[in-house]
Amino acid sequence: MTFISRYIQVAIPVPMRQSFTYLAPEHLNEQTFSAGDRVLVPFGSRKLIAIVLKVSNECDVADNKLKAIVELLPSESKLSSSQIDFLSLCARYYHHPIGDVISQALPVLLRQIKPVDLTPEACWFKNPDKSEQELELLIAKLAKSAAKQKALYQFISEHGDITWPEIRMAGFIKSQLTALMNKELICQGEVASVAFKCKENSINVEDKHQLSVEQAVIVSGINQQLNKFSCHLIDGITGSGKTEVYLQIIEEVLKQDKQVLVLVPEIGLTPQTLSRFEKRFRVPIVLHHSGLNDNERLQTWHRTKKGEAAIVIATRSGVFSPLQAPGLIVIDEEHDGSFKQQEGFRYHARDVAILRARQLNIPVVLGTATPSLETLQNALSGKYQYHQLTKRAGKSNIAGIELIDMAKQQIEFGLSGTLKKAIQDTLERGEQVLIFLNRRGYAPAISCQECNWIAECKRCDKPYTLHQNQGLLVCHHCGSQKRIMPQCGECGSIRIKPLGQGTEQLEQRLVELFPDFSAVRIDRDSTRRKGELAKLLEQVSNKEHQILVGTQMLAKGHHFPDVTLVAVLDVDGALFSYDFRAPEHMAQLLVQVSGRAGRASKPGKVMVQTQYPEHPLLQDLVHNGYQHFARYALMEREQARIPPFGFQALFRAEANSAGLPSSLLRDISEGDFEQCLISGPIAAAQEKKAGKFRFHLLLQASDRKYLHSAVQVILLRLEKHKLQHKVRWSVDIDPQELSW
Ligand code: ADP
Ligand code: ZN
Ligand code: ZN
């Protein structure tokens, strides 16, 4: 009898390009192993968690050189083989180490050796052993002061099987829960771990809208194509009822007992989305986002994998959720930049979602009012099915955009006379204003009035931003900080003044200009503490503040019914940027913010301050709208053969001296590449950052095939190059930012 060794190939969740081969341990048959298993392996002097990629009969290494797997971990934490196929596909597409790709798909706790607790979560429900009368009596006995306990009892009896995170989110505390248990009003049990099944009352039909004709055509069109791959773009103006369309398609998928993955840019910013889903569907909904702790993430992952979660609402990395019975993927605001991961594994969640839908053979629906040019081109060329919603669902109208010519205006604190007047009028009518300035801090620089010296970060050669509230100078490029100096670093003069204006200063000036009204600032600085953003947004909707100042953070998805004036203070940077996507992003921002103005019954207005009101891009956008703007921009891109009419990859390299990255990039890009154009090495737009010198190499091809083979050749050269450990490098497929 011949004995055939079986080799177990694994990926280790670390950034290493290769996979590793092990033997099965003596106490386990090789056949026990299959793709997706979590195993413990010896690695150097350590033990690490690894994931089985495949089991094969062949191996280049002699058996006596191979080590054996230490342990096969419980199957609750196993990935499916279909997920391994999908993750391998992503690793190939992005030319990224498989181990690192897999670690994106695993909750942190499953990357660690420490055993995890995947026992079902505890939950609470109304005491089933007591009659309604008995319960009523017990409630009546609760002290008057125990209003919170009563409310919690109400909450639990209405929802049933409710978990601690849900109780906590609803604003209750542990002692109230314990009190109700002691009084035998409620009991504790375990969340039943069964795959989700749609029930009669799972859909709240009362909440459903009668669809408009446009909506109905889309819903029925897509609903006829469930259970196979198809990709749809819903291009609908803000408030045209895209969400209602998603909800009615989701309903159909849930009725088939299948799961739905909904990707959104940022959950913290759009609590309305969640509440709309919860109102419509009485099914288990789980959230996946960066605000969860490690254990909550693990629970979400596990409930999704068991098929218990019917709907997963997730940010970027949720695209790797381990769906057990996938039926549909929805990507809301598909144009949003936050879907692209800008470090490490640089995937784009929208593109990955489409790959995944294709692999799973299910539909994927992209929705937005301002499609990215990539997506729009795919829709116009017929690769995706193109659906449009051209009318608002409610009565309100989209706000028009008005350009303010700064050259013709008296300017005070960065505000033109026209804008000041408009703000005053709006406030006097009892409405709110929203003012965008995409610059955090008090001022983007400080300078000496005697000698024009500017305080610069030595590691980046860029001015420090003044953060007056904290008494700090902060480099927005590398994050370094120092205390504000009292004197000029050059001539010693004490006449140091801020240059330019950021949100912190703007807020202060607005308080001076409009002393009868309250202003609030919403940016990354003012919302750093957990819960702060929600608190400020709540105050805004309670009308405690009339003036909102903020960065782009405020442009996303909020619903402020009383904001009727939106002002954008400075768009000119985008008009002259060398980044070919800058005008697209500017147009998306302007259109999204005009969607914010006057969403309720009151009409809204958007005012944009610019030095270049005649600029053709602005003119086109203002007079002809995003649709027209986007089609024109596509024509320009086609002529220039840039994405989406060509494909790009960007190699970035940085080191302590300028010579190293540029010579590494030069060496690896030598010679000709079939059908692939290579530009560079050139210095990055910001050549120096955090003490490192940065260069890049841009690859462009008209066909992905050529791009990918060039990337492969370059990667092989890189990995053999003597400088590869002295230079930090990365490759970015379909880069979104060519600056850096
Ligand atoms: P979008 O997602 O395109 O911004 P929404 O789905 O949020 O649009 O719809 C905007 C508003 O119009 C919401 O308040 C929604 O409840 C309402 N709405 C949507 N569809 C309809 C409809 N067919 N009839 C009446 N109201 C609708
Ligand atoms: Zn000076
Ligand atoms: Zn710096």
Side-chain angles (χ1 to χ4, degrees):
M1 197 177 76
T2 50
F3 179 72
I4 305 172
S5 290
R6 299 270 284 180
Y7 302 97
I8 301 166
Q9 216 183 347
V10 304
I12 297 182
V14 289
M16 270 183 280
R17 229 157 252 283
Q18 74 267 45
S19 58
F20 301 85
T21 305
Y22 289 85
L23 296 169
E26 266 171 23
H27 65 283
L28 285 176
N29 186 321
E30 296 89 352
Q31 320 228 326
T32 340
F33 292 89
S34 63
D37 280 333
R38 258 175 93 238
V39 294
L40 193 61
V41 297
F43 191 78
S45 59
R46 299 181 290 166
K47 280 191 193 129
L48 289 177
I49 294 291
I51 307 294
V52 175
L53 295 174
K54 66 175 183 191
V55 181
S56 83
N57 291 323
E58 287 158 31
C59 176
D60 307 341
V61 185
D63 280 15
N64 60 8
K65 292 253 167 65
L66 293 177
K67 293 185 186 166
I69 282 173
V70 179
E71 199 181 333
L72 171 63
L73 297 162
S75 66
E76 284 91 76
S77 61
K78 177 183 163 59
L79 292 170
S80 69
S81 65
S82 132
Q83 226 194 342
I84 294 293
D85 289 345
F86 164 60
L87 295 169
S88 307
L89 179 70
C90 293
R92 283 196 302 277
Y93 182 87
Y94 287 103
H95 296 269
H96 195 79
I98 178 71
D100 204 35
V101 172
I102 288 182
S103 63
Q104 294 283 328
L106 279 182
V108 172
L109 293 179
L110 290 182
R111 293 176 227 160
Q112 298 171 358
I113 295 185
K114 218 166 64 187
V116 291
D117 180 15
L118 288 174
T119 50
E121 249 182 309
C123 68
W124 287 265
F125 43 86
K126 194 159 81 172
N127 188 344
D129 300 331
K130 297 227 182 291
S131 70
E132 286 299 327
Q133 287 95 325
E134 286 173 296
L135 290 169
E136 297 259 320
L137 276 175
L138 287 172
I139 293 279
K141 271 201 258 166
L142 282 179
K144 277 224 167 56
S145 56
K148 267 297 211 186
Q149 286 179 30
K150 271 189 204 164
L152 176 56
Y153 173 76
Q154 213 64 44
F155 182 66
I156 293 175
S157 62
E158 269 165 27
H159 291 82
D161 285 6
I162 189 154
T163 62
W164 170 241
E166 292 166 319
I167 295 175
R168 192 192 61 196
M169 296 263 273
F172 297 100
I173 54 174
K174 265 267 156 71
S175 63
Q176 293 154 355
L177 191 65
T178 323
L180 292 180
M181 292 231 290
N182 291 341
K183 289 167 189 153
E184 299 190 342
L185 276 158
I186 58 169
C187 296
Q188 181 177 347
E190 284 177 352
V191 175
S193 158
V194 286
F196 145 80
K197 285 263 177 300
C198 193
K199 295 196 238 42
E200 191 116 332
N201 68 348
S202 294
I203 292 125
N204 176 9
V205 283
E206 279 159 33
D207 183 58
K208 271 170 82 167
H209 285 292
Q210 175 84 33
L211 295 179
S212 69
V213 174
E214 279 187 331
Q215 285 174 315
V217 171
I218 301 176
V219 169
S220 72
I222 297 179
N223 281 350
Q224 277 165 22
Q225 304 175 64
L226 303 179
N227 303 313
K228 63 172 196 269
F229 172 73
S230 56
C231 184
H232 305 265
L233 168 62
I234 304 180
D235 179 353
I237 59 174
T238 41
S240 59
K242 293 182 290 295
T243 312
E244 185 62 34
V245 169
Y246 308 151
L247 291 172
Q248 301 215 11
I249 300 167
I250 291 172
E251 172 180 334
E252 216 45 42
V253 176
L254 294 177
K255 282 182 181 158
Q256 300 186 359
D257 299 333
K258 297 227 174 108
Q259 295 172 294
V260 179
L261 172 63
V262 182
L263 294 176
V264 295
E266 254 159 295
I267 287 182
L269 287 173
T270 50
Q272 300 102 324
T273 312
L274 176 63
S275 61
R276 268 178 89 177
F277 277 72
E278 282 180 335
K279 230 167 117 191
R280 180 69 54 91
F281 303 118
R282 296 187 196 97
V283 300
I285 300 180
V286 297
L287 300 182
H288 168 112
H289 59 91
S290 57
L292 301 183
N293 65 32
D294 287 348
N295 196 42
E296 289 167 334
R297 261 184 192 242
L298 179 66
Q299 292 301 339
T300 290
W301 184 88
H302 196 222
R303 291 181 69 192
T304 308
K305 178 174 137 69
K306 285 183 299 184
E308 183 197 320
I311 301 176
V312 183
I313 303 183
T315 48
R316 186 173 61 221
S317 61
V319 71
F320 301 108
S321 296
L323 300 165
Q324 201 260 335
L328 171 73
I329 304 178
V330 174
I331 306 164
D332 192 23
E333 309 292 358
E334 73 73 38
H335 67 279
D336 197 280
S338 69
F339 286 126
K340 168 81 178 180
Q341 177 141 300
Q342 298 287 14
E343 63 211 30
F345 173 28
R346 296 162 194 264
Y347 64 96
H348 198 303
R350 175 197 61 218
D351 300 342
V352 167
I354 296 169
L355 283 179
R356 184 133 196 235
R358 188 188 293 276
Q359 184 221 21
L360 296 171
N361 206 24
I362 59 173
V364 53
V365 175
L366 321 183
T368 172
T370 52
S372 64
L373 295 188
E374 280 82 359
T375 298
L376 184 62
Q377 177 55 24
N378 281 326
L380 292 173
S381 70
K383 223 175 124 190
Y384 302 166
Q385 295 179 36
Y386 190 24
H387 312 276
Q388 281 175 282
L389 288 171
T390 56
K391 297 183 207 65
R392 273 203 158 178
K395 287 192 195 70
S396 62
N397 291 314
I398 296 263
I401 300 177
E402 186 180 316
L403 298 175
I404 299 177
D405 186 350
M406 294 294 271
K408 296 199 180 123
Q409 298 263 340
Q410 281 269 15
I411 315 289
E412 190 184 8
F413 308 138
L415 303 171
S416 60
T418 309
L419 179 58
K420 261 193 311 200
K421 168 121 194 355
I423 295 175
Q424 185 74 43
D425 292 348
T426 309
L427 293 174
E428 279 169 6
R429 281 198 307 272
E431 295 160 8
Q432 292 168 308
V433 297
L434 172 50
I435 305 176
F436 280 99
L437 178 62
N438 236 347
R439 213 177 294 124
R440 290 183 297 121
Y442 189 87
I446 61 168
S447 117
C448 168
Q449 295 196 301
E450 307 273 353
C451 74
N452 292 331
W453 169 84
I454 286 180
E456 275 188 352
C457 167
K458 294 236 163 14
R459 305 169 68 208
C460 303
D461 295 343
K462 293 275 176 195
Y464 277 115
T465 297
L466 171 62
H467 286 249
Q468 190 114 296
N469 289 350
Q470 298 159 286
L472 288 177
L473 294 178
V474 181
C475 173
H476 281 194
H477 303 278
C478 70
S480 69
Q481 312 183 333
K482 60 198 269 181
R483 301 219 66 80
I484 299 173
M485 61 280 272
Q487 284 180 308
C488 169
E490 195 72 37
C491 73
S493 159
I494 53 163
R495 292 182 56 210
I496 305 186
K497 280 271 155 66
L499 270 188
Q501 174 169 260
T503 46
E504 197 181 304
Q505 184 178 174
L506 178 63
E507 180 193 14
Q508 197 177 313
R509 299 295 178 221
L510 286 162
V511 170
E512 290 167 26
L513 284 171
F514 305 102
D516 299 337
F517 301 94
S518 164
V520 62
R521 173 166 54 95
I522 299 187
D523 58 20
R524 252 198 298 140
D525 297 320
S526 73
T527 57
R528 230 173 267 279
R529 253 180 304 146
K530 212 179 160 161
E532 195 67 20
L533 175 63
K535 197 178 102 194
L536 294 180
L537 292 176
E538 173 85 26
Q539 291 174 357
V540 173
S541 37
N542 293 339
K543 301 200 73 176
E544 286 171 46
H545 309 288
Q546 293 75 45
I547 306 172
L548 286 78
V549 177
T551 52
Q552 263 193 39
M553 214 176 139
L554 266 180
K556 296 185 185 175
H558 299 287
H559 185 75
F560 300 125
D562 285 307
V563 169
T564 55
L565 173 64
V566 175
V568 183
L569 294 200
D570 187 8
V571 291
D572 293 344
L575 298 175
F576 302 99
S577 172
Y578 53 86
D579 177 356
F580 70 86
R581 285 193 179 84
E584 174 189 348
H585 294 155
M586 177 207 67
Q588 288 164 345
L589 174 73
L590 288 185
V591 173
Q592 294 289 342
V593 303
S594 28
R596 303 276 81 82
R599 282 199 65 146
S601 47
K602 299 171 191 137
K605 182 147 67 167
V606 177
M607 297 183 125
V608 177
Q609 297 194 147
T610 173
Q611 301 281 352
Y612 310 94
E614 298 306 324
H615 195 289
L617 286 179
L618 283 176
Q619 285 291 326
D620 190 18
L621 188 64
V622 169
H623 295 295
N624 307 319
Y626 186 81
Q627 296 260 350
H628 191 274
F629 165 89
R631 280 160 180 74
Y632 188 78
L634 275 174
M635 250 165 56
E636 286 188 334
R637 296 229 193 143
E638 185 165 22
Q639 279 161 10
R641 315 247 20 105
I642 48 182
F645 300 94
F647 303 99
Q648 297 182 329
L650 190 70
F651 279 86
R652 298 182 172 93
E654 63 180 2
N656 291 328
S657 78
L660 297 181
S662 58
S663 83
L664 171 72
L665 293 178
R666 193 169 322 108
D667 289 353
I668 59 173
S669 59
E670 257 169 21
D672 286 332
F673 291 85
E674 190 191 2
Q675 306 277 346
C676 183
L677 186 72
I678 300 198
S679 347
I682 44 169
Q686 189 189 338
E687 183 176 350
K688 194 175 158 202
K689 179 168 165 175
K692 301 260 195 268
F693 291 85
R694 311 164 354 133
F695 284 77
H696 57 223
L697 200 62
L698 181 67
L699 280 61
Q700 293 197 78
S702 60
D703 193 314
R704 284 198 183 279
K705 175 173 84 199
Y706 299 117
L707 185 74
H708 284 254
S709 48
V711 168
Q712 216 133 26
V713 171
I714 290 182
L715 276 174
L716 283 175
R717 290 181 185 173
L718 240 171
E719 280 167 340
K720 287 199 203 114
H721 200 282
K722 58 184 189 301
L723 286 179
Q724 70 139 324
H725 295 298
K726 294 207 172 119
V727 175
R728 223 180 93 152
W729 60 268
S730 64
V731 57
D732 190 350
I733 306 293
D734 308 328
Q736 286 290 308
E737 277 176 26
L738 299 183
S739 49
W740 195 343

